[in-house]
Amino acid sequence: MTQSLEQPTVQVQAPLLQLNGITKVLKGQGEPRTILSGVDFTVHPGQSVAILGRSGSGKSTLLSLLGLFDRADEGKYFLHGNDITKLPERRAAALRSAEFGFVFQRFFLLKHLTAAQNVAMALVNGQGWSARRKRKQQVMEALEQVGIAHLAKSKPTRLSGGEQQRVAIARALVRQPRIILADEPTGALDTETGNLVVEVLLNTTRQGCGLVLVTHDHDHARKMGRVMELRDGRFN
Ligand SMILES: Nc1ncnc2c1ncn2[C@@H]1O[C@H](COP(=O)(O)OP(=O)(O)OP(=O)(O)O)[C@@H](O)[C@H]1O
């Protein structure tokens, strides 16, 4: 048997996302206020990062920049190694829905729809029969991923807070995002339910998803691969 002389290729994977020297200044009526100052931040596939910080330290602002809801005044933003700092809004919106899944403290579920229908709202496939069938399959897979497939037909009013948050996570997952941005996802939940939701979020990283969790809860933060603390717009 001949042995291949080829060297094994070393795959150097670009970070999922990378911020270099990000600064955000709020220019209201009074003096301009620097909210983020020279922030560097990197997330690789499968990594989970907690962002801690006092109220007003800039956590949500950072998440808005990461999710392309807002733009920095200085610095660079790379997604999969591509510079997206100055991407036009239409392309930013397309990237946002293709790459990111968002989870918030509030669940934002539509009360008159079932859990499955709420998750399906995130899909914008064609209307054909097969597309519908595929859509249903994707929805059920997302609900299974968060452990509530048996509640597919339940409406939010019949679900507990933790179950509702899991529907919201399934809604974020159904498009198979590469990065989940979660802003205080356990803020409205009791400790036990919050722990469950954190586990569900962490599970997504096992399939290569990146996870950024903004939280006030140090126990939840410690479960992430990395913990970073924002203080006055800077990481310590
Ligand atoms: N649109 C805005 N107009 C004026 N000030 C703002 C605006 N958005 C954020 N800020 C201010 O910027 C600072 C950072 O806000 P941000 O919401 O990022 O903090 P946070 O760390 O997420 O706080 P919390 O933990 O309370 O959610 C705060 O002082 C806030 O008042």
Side-chain angles (χ1 to χ4, degrees), residues 11-220:
Q11 300 275 353
V12 181
Q13 217 170 11
L16 268 181
L17 55 85
Q18 185 168 10
L19 301 182
N20 289 345
I22 289 291
T23 292
K24 179 72 188 171
V25 181
L26 279 183
K27 302 166 195 96
Q29 284 154 347
E31 283 288 298
R33 270 185 61 210
T34 302
I35 306 299
L36 296 172
S37 180
V39 167
D40 296 329
F41 184 68
T42 306
V43 182
H44 287 274
Q47 269 191 343
S48 55
V49 187
I51 300 180
L52 287 169
R54 280 195 196 155
S55 182
S57 58
K59 304 182 296 297
S60 299
T61 304
L62 179 62
L63 227 50
S64 298
L65 293 169
L66 289 173
L68 296 166
F69 288 112
D70 198 0
R71 300 303 172 101
D73 295 291
E74 277 174 41
K76 293 266 185 205
Y77 185 176
F78 298 91
L79 193 69
H80 309 299
N82 301 310
D83 187 349
I84 59 162
T85 315
K86 293 201 182 329
L87 212 60
E89 178 46 38
R90 259 185 63 188
R91 288 187 57 206
L95 261 191
R96 194 184 301 132
S97 59
E99 300 282 329
F100 294 93
F102 298 93
V103 182
F104 303 98
Q105 178 169 343
R106 291 182 59 201
F107 319 126
F108 298 116
L109 299 178
L110 296 172
K111 287 194 173 62
H112 61 289
L113 299 182
T114 65
Q117 287 165 336
N118 266 285
V119 175
M121 290 294 284
L123 294 171
V124 285
N125 289 345
Q127 295 301 307
W129 180 77
S130 63
R132 209 158 51 228
R133 194 168 64 168
K134 187 168 176 228
R135 206 157 57 213
K136 200 170 166 193
Q137 189 189 334
Q138 288 171 300
V139 166
M140 288 315 294
E141 279 171 9
L143 287 170
E144 265 163 36
Q145 210 178 328
V146 300
I148 52 164
H150 59 291
L151 298 173
K153 293 195 170 137
S154 304
K155 292 195 173 158
T157 44
R158 300 246 161 175
L159 301 175
S160 69
E163 288 164 346
Q164 288 186 58
Q165 189 58 300
R166 282 193 277 169
V167 175
I169 295 171
R171 183 182 55 196
L173 291 177
V174 73
R175 288 164 161 278
Q176 300 190 306
R178 311 280 282 271
I179 304 140
I180 301 269
L181 301 179
D183 197 352
E184 296 271 7
T186 61
L189 305 174
D190 61 71
T191 308
E192 199 178 326
T193 314
N195 286 338
L196 191 67
V197 162
V198 167
E199 286 307 321
V200 167
L201 286 169
L202 260 182
N203 257 333
T204 64
T205 64
R206 290 179 192 124
Q207 280 116 46
C209 206
L211 170 65
V212 181
L213 173 77
V214 163
T215 184
H216 284 286
D217 188 313
H218 287 247
D219 290 335
H220 292 158

